Amino acid sequence: MRGIFDKDIESRLTHFNALLSANYSWEQMTQIFSQISDSRARSHADSGTYLSQHLSIANFVTAGIHSVSLSLFNLKHFEPTASSNDQSENVFPQDWLSESLRPIPDFILLQLFCQLSNLSTSLVHMVEIGQDSSARVLLRAIEELFQIILIISADKNDFKRYSIKGSNSDSEIMHKYFSTKKRQTKLAAIEKRLGFEENQIEERAGFRTALHKNFSGSVHSSPISSVVGSMVWSFDKDLGHIGLVGGCNKLSRSTLGHFIASSDLFLEMFIQILEKINKFKFPEDRTKLWNNTKATSLILRSLLEAEKKAQQSRTPESP
């Protein structure tokens, strides 16, 4: 078993026990850590039973997001050069933001997708080891990052505001240009520009608002989130118990479901921004990783539509 204690901690434990006339034993701490490790292992096993389908799709989505990171991770794109010879697969021209070629927009995009890939992987891992509340905090961060990537990819001025350091601090930039309300307004304008119907724009805005409201409580430790989040809820009965070290949780179906649905909207819109606004052409070579991202979006949409039809067929019609 991997432990958390080394000889330095052990010697300090002995020292402070003597100093405080305490009986803080090495064995007790090892047993506590062992219980935590055992709980993680049980949760991981149970998640394979109760959350298999959700985790499978979430992992598939994460791989699709990671494909963008890998597609961007090509160092020749980041060598400042005025030549366009090596920029055939770039999302943006190197001088799109500045004639000085600093910053290079594809490198900024790579950094954001790297963060997105890591957050998505962490969310799935948190669910697997029974830490649903932590996964919800991550989902809130992922959704905000989804929105920022879409906004700056569609608008050069917003890309500059986000990536080029000026006199304003990061918090001032986020408040002035990328607050929750401003993001909603900008995303609606981009959706209209892409040709979405008014009802689709309203539906998407409603989804984003609901996700922000439901999962912000986990970030800010609202009373209801703290109470509900401290519990592990049964898959078989409407019962919960205090989860001192977490546990496989029925609420994780909702967490993963929202992650999957949000990823679906993000990937669809990101691809449209690339193709319709930035005139990016996906490589004809189907082995290129860029095409994994497009395939992920199409397959994910078909999975969600099939699930929606299945749910409708299971719901009895009103008389």
Side-chain angles (χ1 to χ4, degrees), residues 12-145:
R12 289 173 187 273
L13 186 66
T14 302
H15 170 73
F16 282 101
N17 271 340
L19 188 66
L20 301 173
S21 300
N23 189 27
Y24 200 51
S25 77
W26 178 264
E27 290 76 16
Q28 283 179 327
M29 296 306 294
T30 303
Q31 287 173 3
I32 291 171
F33 183 69
S34 179
Q35 290 173 5
I36 295 172
S37 297
D38 290 346
S39 175
R40 290 174 186 165
R42 285 196 303 273
S43 295
H44 201 284
D46 290 343
S47 68
T49 301
Y50 295 106
L51 298 169
S52 177
Q53 184 178 16
H54 285 79
L55 285 169
S56 177
I57 298 174
N59 280 318
F60 176 70
V61 168
T62 300
I65 291 171
H66 191 57
S67 291
V68 180
S69 302
L70 292 173
S71 299
L72 290 164
F73 191 69
N74 186 335
L75 293 179
K76 72 178 182 181
H77 295 171
F78 309 136
E79 293 296 328
T81 172
S83 170
S84 61
N85 294 337
D86 294 327
Q87 298 188 48
S88 59
E89 292 184 23
N90 284 33
V91 177
F92 303 100
Q94 288 189 349
D95 61 356
W96 193 61
L97 296 178
S98 170
E99 291 182 0
S100 68
L101 310 184
R102 293 296 186 189
I104 295 175
D106 276 18
F107 187 65
I108 301 295
L109 199 60
L110 168 63
Q111 292 173 317
L112 294 178
F113 266 95
C114 179
Q115 176 78 335
L116 189 57
S117 179
N118 291 339
L119 288 171
S120 301
T121 302
S122 296
L123 181 148
V124 173
H125 180 62
M126 286 296 104
V127 168
E128 287 177 327
I129 64 172
Q131 300 295 325
D132 184 71
S133 288
S134 298
R136 287 173 171 255
V137 172
L138 290 170
L139 177 55
R140 174 67 175 74
I142 289 168
E143 173 62 19
E144 187 163 323
L145 190 50

Side-chain angles (χ1 to χ4, degrees), residues 24-278:
Y24 200 51
S25 77
W26 178 264
E27 290 76 16
Q28 283 179 327
M29 296 306 294
T30 303
Q31 287 173 3
I32 291 171
F33 183 69
S34 179
Q35 290 173 5
I36 295 172
S37 297
D38 290 346
S39 175
R40 290 174 186 165
R42 285 196 303 273
S43 295
H44 201 284
D46 290 343
S47 68
T49 301
Y50 295 106
L51 298 169
S52 177
Q53 184 178 16
H54 285 79
L55 285 169
S56 177
I57 298 174
N59 280 318
F60 176 70
V61 168
T62 300
I65 291 171
H66 191 57
S67 291
V68 180
S69 302
L70 292 173
S71 299
L72 290 164
F73 191 69
N74 186 335
L75 293 179
K76 72 178 182 181
H77 295 171
F78 309 136
E79 293 296 328
T81 172
S83 170
S84 61
N85 294 337
D86 294 327
Q87 298 188 48
S88 59
E89 292 184 23
N90 284 33
V91 177
F92 303 100
Q94 288 189 349
D95 61 356
W96 193 61
L97 296 178
S98 170
E99 291 182 0
S100 68
L101 310 184
R102 293 296 186 189
I104 295 175
D106 276 18
F107 187 65
I108 301 295
L109 199 60
L110 168 63
Q111 292 173 317
L112 294 178
F113 266 95
C114 179
Q115 176 78 335
L116 189 57
S117 179
N118 291 339
L119 288 171
S120 301
T121 302
S122 296
L123 181 148
V124 173
H125 180 62
M126 286 296 104
V127 168
E128 287 177 327
I129 64 172
Q131 300 295 325
D132 184 71
S133 288
S134 298
R136 287 173 171 255
V137 172
L138 290 170
L139 177 55
R140 174 67 175 74
I142 289 168
E143 173 62 19
E144 187 163 323
L145 190 50
F146 277 162
Q147 294 176 19
I148 288 171
I149 290 173
L150 294 175
I151 289 167
I152 69 172
S153 296
D155 187 274
K156 183 190 292 189
N157 289 327
D158 275 325
F159 207 130
K160 287 182 177 180
R161 291 169 183 137
Y162 187 81
S163 60
I164 298 178
K165 185 68 175 176
S167 58
N168 293 329
S169 66
D170 282 359
S171 60
E172 288 171 334
I173 291 170
M174 294 303 293
H175 178 73
K176 188 174 182 178
Y177 301 110
F178 302 102
S179 65
T180 302
K181 186 175 181 180
K182 287 184 172 67
R183 292 198 309 271
Q184 282 280 45
T185 301
K186 291 179 179 185
L187 287 168
I190 295 168
E191 288 161 350
K192 188 171 183 179
R193 188 178 172 189
L194 291 172
F196 286 94
E197 300 291 338
E198 201 62 42
N199 65 315
Q200 293 177 302
I201 295 173
E202 291 177 2
E203 184 179 345
R204 287 164 176 261
F207 174 83
R208 290 192 294 265
T209 298
L211 190 149
H212 182 272
K213 179 181 178 181
N214 292 338
F215 291 90
S216 288
S218 298
V219 175
H220 301 298
S221 299
S222 70
I224 188 66
S225 293
S226 296
V227 171
V228 174
S230 69
M231 307 289 286
V232 173
W233 298 90
S234 170
F235 287 86
D236 304 318
K237 303 174 184 178
D238 192 18
L239 296 173
H241 63 83
I242 290 291
L244 287 176
V245 286
C248 190
N249 198 328
K250 184 179 181 179
L251 294 183
S252 291
R253 286 177 175 167
S254 170
T255 305
L256 291 172
H258 278 85
F259 169 63
I260 291 164
S262 186
S263 299
D264 171 52
L265 298 181
F266 167 72
L267 288 171
E268 179 199 26
M269 195 166 166
F270 179 67
I271 289 168
Q272 289 198 34
I273 288 171
L274 292 187
E275 293 184 317
K276 294 182 179 180
I277 295 178
N278 296 310

